[in-house]
Amino acid sequence: MENKDIKKSCIDCAGKGCDDKGGAYPDFCLTKNMDPDFLAETMKLYTESEENTKIMMAASEVEFENYCKMTRVEEICEFAAKIGAKKLGIATCVGLLWEARMAAKIFRNRGFEVVGAACKIGAQPKVSVGIDKEHEAVGVNMCNPIMQAEVLNKEKTDLNIVIGLCVGHDSLFYKHSDALCTTLVTKDRVLAHNPVAALYQADKYYSKLLK
């Protein structure tokens, strides 16, 4: 039974009329019902900011030139080059240091300077910031995403790349990073860092997600 209390938006659409492929615009469509003034003011943000323009043009070029041809790590290299980034920062989980080292090797091979900060940097106990002692069952030392960001800020990185930070820790890193950020790896210990697999199986073998 349909829940009438849900405010519908793009995540409830299957028509994709905005994708310019002959799809339908449902009655609740945000594009169909958008305030023209809001649309105009938002669109100005792409053209009135030199930084936004550069980033948007670079992202579009990477998509156009490499669609279904390049892996994400290759696309990051292309994007970084197009925005003129010279120094890349890697914010990594200590559980993915091998992956971070390999990523750094790839980036350095493409001519970038690379610095990194791991999540346990500073080696501070969880209780030092008020985290319950029982949480030490999965590790005594806290993840330190704010320090990761501040270390890379001090290094004056041009683009920061996240590799496997925990949910929420990644949020704090993005919040405190001075540099533009992108994500190479999204952590999911259960699904070998492939979180979308849970969505593909949510109505099948992983149906517990919908109960």
Side-chain angles (χ1 to χ4, degrees), residues 117-156:
C119 63
K120 301 296 184 182
I121 192 168
Q124 295 297 294
K126 291 177 179 176
V127 294
S128 68
V129 293
I131 297 172
D132 290 342
K133 189 171 179 58
E134 65 178 355
H135 293 188
E136 292 181 350
V138 291
V140 173
N141 287 342
M142 61 180 277
C143 291
N144 203 338
I146 295 178
M147 182 169 283
Q148 286 178 284
E150 293 298 342
V151 165
L152 297 183
N153 291 344
K154 277 190 169 186
E155 290 286 346
K156 298 189 183 304

Side-chain angles (χ1 to χ4, degrees), residues 8-209:
K8 291 188 175 182
S9 60
C10 294
I11 55 173
D12 302 294
C13 174
K16 296 192 291 186
C18 60
D19 201 25
D20 193 30
K21 293 181 180 177
Y25 289 91
D27 290 339
F28 61 82
C29 176
L30 299 190
T31 297
K32 182 179 179 180
N33 297 295
M34 186 168 291
D35 178 347
D37 292 335
F38 173 70
L39 176 60
E41 288 300 314
T42 303
M43 294 307 297
K44 284 181 184 178
L45 298 177
Y46 290 106
T47 56
E48 293 184 349
S49 163
E50 185 177 342
E51 181 183 30
N52 288 351
T53 299
K54 180 172 71 172
I55 292 168
M56 194 62 179
M57 294 303 103
S60 185
E61 287 173 8
V62 170
E63 179 190 27
F64 170 72
E65 294 167 2
N66 309 295
Y67 196 76
C68 293
K69 297 176 185 176
M70 281 190 172
T71 61
R72 188 171 181 90
V73 68
E74 291 174 298
E75 289 187 336
I76 290 173
C77 291
E78 291 293 302
F79 176 71
K82 286 180 182 294
I83 64 171
K86 305 295 183 185
K87 192 172 189 178
L88 307 183
I90 293 179
T92 183
C93 170
V94 293
L96 284 89
L97 276 172
W98 184 93
E99 292 84 350
R101 289 197 302 273
M102 183 56 68
K105 185 176 181 180
I106 292 169
F107 296 142
R108 285 168 176 156
N109 189 54
R110 297 293 186 96
F112 297 103
E113 181 181 356
V114 186
V115 293
C119 63
K120 301 296 184 182
I121 192 168
Q124 295 297 294
K126 291 177 179 176
V127 294
S128 68
V129 293
I131 297 172
D132 290 342
K133 189 171 179 58
E134 65 178 355
H135 293 188
E136 292 181 350
V138 291
V140 173
N141 287 342
M142 61 180 277
C143 291
N144 203 338
I146 295 178
M147 182 169 283
Q148 286 178 284
E150 293 298 342
V151 165
L152 297 183
N153 291 344
K154 277 190 169 186
E155 290 286 346
K156 298 189 183 304
T157 52
D158 301 312
L159 176 68
N160 288 333
I161 298 143
V162 169
I163 296 181
L165 297 188
C166 296
V167 173
H169 296 152
D170 55 357
S171 304
L172 280 172
F173 177 80
Y174 298 136
K175 179 179 179 180
H176 288 270
S177 172
D178 288 342
L180 196 67
C181 298
T182 191
T183 301
L184 176 55
V185 180
T186 302
K187 178 189 287 175
D188 189 322
R189 297 181 182 92
V190 174
L191 296 173
H193 311 307
N194 180 31
V196 75
L199 308 183
Y200 294 146
Q201 294 296 326
D203 59 350
K204 300 180 180 72
Y205 299 110
Y206 219 56
S207 59
K208 69 177 184 179
L209 292 173

